[in-house]
């Protein structure tokens, strides 16, 4: 898989594990960008088993994450 190269995985800040510094910096910048601009909401769905609803649109997901996550049987799941 690594073509005979010996890779060492290094644990960086914010639970980032990467094989080289450039990759870790890229991933850190990407995560920071997504958290600042709240882009992550378009990659999530919120399933509310109490109301029997699935929130898929980004603005409704953000609202549900803010208001309904402390209620039992409300789950945030990644879209795959």
């Amino acid at each position: 898989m690594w073509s005979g190269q010996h890779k060492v995985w290094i644990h960086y800040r914010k639970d980032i594990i990467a094989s080289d510094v450039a990759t870790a910096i890229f991933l850190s910048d990407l995560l920071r960008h997504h958290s600042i601009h709240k882009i992550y909401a378009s990659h999530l769905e919120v399933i509310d088993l109490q109301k029997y609803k699935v929130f898929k649109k980004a603005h409704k997901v953000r609202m549900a994450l803010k208001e309904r996550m402390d209620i039992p049987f409300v789950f945030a799941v990644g879209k795959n």
Side-chain angles (χ1 to χ4, degrees):
M1 180 173 149
W2 293 104
S3 304
Q5 300 174 1
H6 298 288
K7 297 285 185 180
V8 177
W9 294 94
I10 301 171
H11 186 256
Y12 295 94
R13 61 187 173 102
K14 292 187 179 182
D15 298 329
I16 295 174
I17 298 174
S19 62
D20 59 353
V21 177
T23 306
I25 291 172
F26 172 76
L27 184 57
S28 175
D29 290 343
L30 181 71
L31 291 173
R32 183 174 175 271
H33 175 74
H34 280 222
S35 66
I36 288 173
H37 297 290
K38 296 184 176 27
I39 299 172
Y40 60 86
S42 63
H43 302 289
L44 293 175
E45 291 179 343
V46 174
I47 300 172
D48 188 348
L49 295 179
Q50 289 189 351
K51 289 188 172 184
Y52 300 107
K53 290 188 177 183
V54 177
F55 301 106
K56 296 182 179 184
K57 296 186 179 179
H59 66 281
K60 290 196 176 202
V61 168
R62 273 191 235 112
M63 187 172 30
L65 287 174
K66 195 182 306 181
E67 298 172 358
R68 302 203 45 87
M69 287 311 293
D70 56 341
I71 299 172
F73 303 108
V74 177
F75 305 100
V77 264
K79 291 181 182 178
N80 286 335

